Amino acid sequence: MTDLPPPPAGTPTPARRRPFLLAVAAGVAVIVIAVVAFALGRGGSDPTPRAAVATSAAAVATPSTRSAADQVECTNIDRAHNAWAGLGLPSTAADVKALNEVTVKMAMDDGDSYLDAVRGYNDQPSKDLAAAIAGYNFELSVVNAQVVIGSGVDDEQAAAVEAAVAKVADKYQAWRAATCS
């Protein structure tokens, strides 16, 4: 095996590039964390709409009045609903109009996760809740198209999302009354 001559001075070697790549990766991680923190905290100025959608732990029915299957359903859907309602939910028209490409994608992902948790339960209140969530997801997909195209979210679509959020909240309360009490 022959020894290769050392590279000319100033030529980057893997050992010399490693600290630079680590610094770039750390910088990207800091930016991603800042964007996520901003997106999650941006709706905190007006907690009233979010509070109207969220449920309290005191609303959970006692386990003795429900079957084991209902207990599992109640736990799963309650957890999914509370996560959806607490993750920067665009619940007012103003919130919807403030969405950008990143935050609308996050809201869409949250809606998809909520729908996934509700799907598979065969009782009518669960199906009604799933249909309301699917409607919300559809309205958000229209917002996404408007944001990506760059035309901005129009007032009519912002109001449609606000109405869809209210419908999900109503169907959730109806599901809860029928299944968890």
Side-chain angles (χ1 to χ4, degrees), residues 4-114:
L4 297 174
T11 303
T13 62
R16 290 183 190 153
R17 281 185 273 162
R18 189 168 299 133
F20 173 74
L21 294 176
L22 289 175
V24 169
V28 169
V30 167
I31 291 170
V32 169
I33 290 169
V35 168
V36 170
F38 173 77
L40 292 177
R42 71 162 181 72
S45 62
D46 183 14
T48 306
R50 203 160 294 139
V53 176
T55 59
S56 68
V60 177
T62 59
S64 62
T65 62
R66 300 179 277 165
S67 71
D70 284 347
Q71 288 177 15
V72 170
E73 180 179 350
C74 288
T75 300
N76 288 342
I77 294 178
D78 278 341
R79 188 174 294 143
H81 177 81
N82 291 335
W84 171 77
L87 288 175
L89 177 68
S91 57
T92 66
D95 290 343
V96 175
K97 290 183 80 71
L99 292 174
N100 59 39
E101 284 188 51
V102 172
T103 56
V104 76
K105 289 285 187 188
M106 290 172 63
M108 290 172 66
D109 289 343
D110 295 340
D112 288 342
S113 296
Y114 189 11

Side-chain angles (χ1 to χ4, degrees), residues 131-150:
I133 298 167
Y136 164 79
N137 289 347
F138 170 76
E139 297 300 344
L140 266 184
S141 68
V142 175
V143 168
N144 183 50
Q146 290 177 341
V147 169
V148 170
I149 291 170

Side-chain angles (χ1 to χ4, degrees), residues 1-5:
M1 181 162 187
T2 62
D3 289 329
L4 297 174

